[in-house]
Amino acid sequence: MSSTEVTSSDKLVLYTGFFSSPPSRKIVILLDELNVPYEKKTVALQNGEHFQPWFKEISPRSKVPVLVTPHLPQPLLESGAIHDHIIQRYDTDHKFSFAPGTPEEALQTQWLYFAAATMNSNQVAAYFFRVQVKADWEYVELQLASERKRLELGDAESVWLVGGRYSVADISVWAQLAFVDVMATVEWKTWGFKEVERWYEAILSRDGVKKGQ
Ligand SMILES: N[C@@H](CCC(=O)N[C@@H](CS)C(=O)NCC(=O)O)C(=O)O
């Protein structure tokens, strides 16, 4: 199936938290970029709705995002797994991803793990330890900048993270970085990472990124 063909039996339901939550946001962006129809159900984390029995039936650890799809026998948890499932099923012509087994796919995986593991855990730690928040954000940003610099040695002309084009690698890392703006704790745009800024704004201006907000 190509990324533009979605059958009528595809009835996806995505349970999310507040719009800027990076694990949820990267899924919303990817579905919107691919034009995959889905129903978005926002779980009111601020009111503890995720601890209610109906939601724990779907997500036993009370976490969003969760994808419910007729193509799987049970709800799919973990944003990385949801992301992979969407790519495999709806991006078969690799509009926003890279073909399995290619060097670009390996780099794409690098960035997906960087966003989900390294950036996310630093941001969660920073959230809980507000006193240390500035140091932690700096650590995240410096890591991002140094990775960008390393990649730019091989691809100096492109603003994108992998293979000279916008992909799920950009979507995942961007959703994490966008959360820094929501938290508004650090003015990272004053730090002089011009390439990162250019990349950030290019993604922010995309229709598929604005759509699900
Ligand atoms: N590793 C999980 C993390 C999910 C996660 O921590 N979600 C947060 C929202 S960003 C949540 O549901 N928090 C509710 C809670 O922990 O009470 C993923 O990537 O899906």
Side-chain angles (χ1 to χ4, degrees):
M1 189 192 306
S2 91
S3 61
T4 50
E5 292 167 39
V6 179
T7 69
S8 56
S9 63
D10 284 310
K11 290 201 183 99
L12 304 188
V13 179
L14 179 69
Y15 293 86
T16 69
F18 51 100
F19 93 90
S20 57
S21 157
S24 294
R25 194 173 193 181
K26 69 183 177 192
I27 309 296
V28 167
I29 293 173
L30 183 57
L31 287 169
D32 287 343
E33 291 281 19
L34 286 165
N35 283 319
V36 175
Y38 65 101
E39 185 183 351
K40 185 162 76 171
K41 293 194 176 174
T42 305
V43 181
L45 302 185
Q46 70 278 14
N47 299 335
E49 194 181 4
H50 51 312
F51 296 119
Q52 288 182 10
W54 72 266
F55 187 67
K56 284 177 95 71
E57 283 284 316
I58 302 169
S59 179
R61 290 184 60 244
S62 295
K63 302 285 184 197
V64 291
V66 182
L67 183 72
V68 176
T69 158
H71 309 294
L72 295 173
Q74 61 190 61
L76 190 59
L77 312 176
E78 288 295 328
S79 60
I82 297 170
H83 216 240
D84 284 354
H85 176 74
I86 294 168
I87 292 167
Q88 283 161 21
R89 185 157 191 105
Y90 301 105
D91 193 26
T92 52
D93 51 2
H94 304 298
K95 205 170 160 197
F96 297 104
S97 60
F98 295 91
T102 59
E104 287 83 5
E105 193 217 16
L107 288 178
Q108 169 184 293
T109 305
Q110 166 196 277
W111 284 107
L112 297 185
Y113 277 95
F114 177 67
T118 306
M119 289 185 86
N120 197 58
S121 58
N122 275 298
Q123 290 179 346
V124 168
Y127 181 79
F128 284 111
F129 301 103
R130 275 180 172 273
V131 185
Q132 300 171 352
V133 87
K134 190 162 170 44
D136 283 344
W137 287 138
E138 278 177 9
Y139 179 64
V140 170
E141 298 310 323
L142 287 171
Q143 250 178 318
L144 177 65
S146 68
E147 288 296 305
R148 288 279 295 134
K149 220 173 183 53
R150 189 169 62 76
L151 278 185
E152 278 164 15
L153 292 176
D155 195 8
E157 296 306 308
S158 173
V159 74
W160 307 115
L161 292 177
V162 183
R165 63 180 171 89
Y166 174 66
S167 74
V168 291
D170 300 290
I171 291 173
S172 285
V173 176
W174 187 89
Q176 288 294 149
L177 188 54
F179 195 55
V180 176
D181 283 351
V182 174
M183 299 294 289
T185 42
V186 166
E187 294 292 325
W188 69 271
K189 287 176 189 160
T190 64
W191 294 359
F193 298 153
K194 291 294 168 205
E195 278 299 289
V196 179
E197 272 180 57
R198 195 156 71 86
W199 165 85
Y200 186 87
E201 295 301 327
I203 296 173
L204 185 61
S205 67
R206 292 184 62 87
D207 289 343
V209 174
K210 290 182 194 145
K211 196 172 156 190
Q213 296 190 7

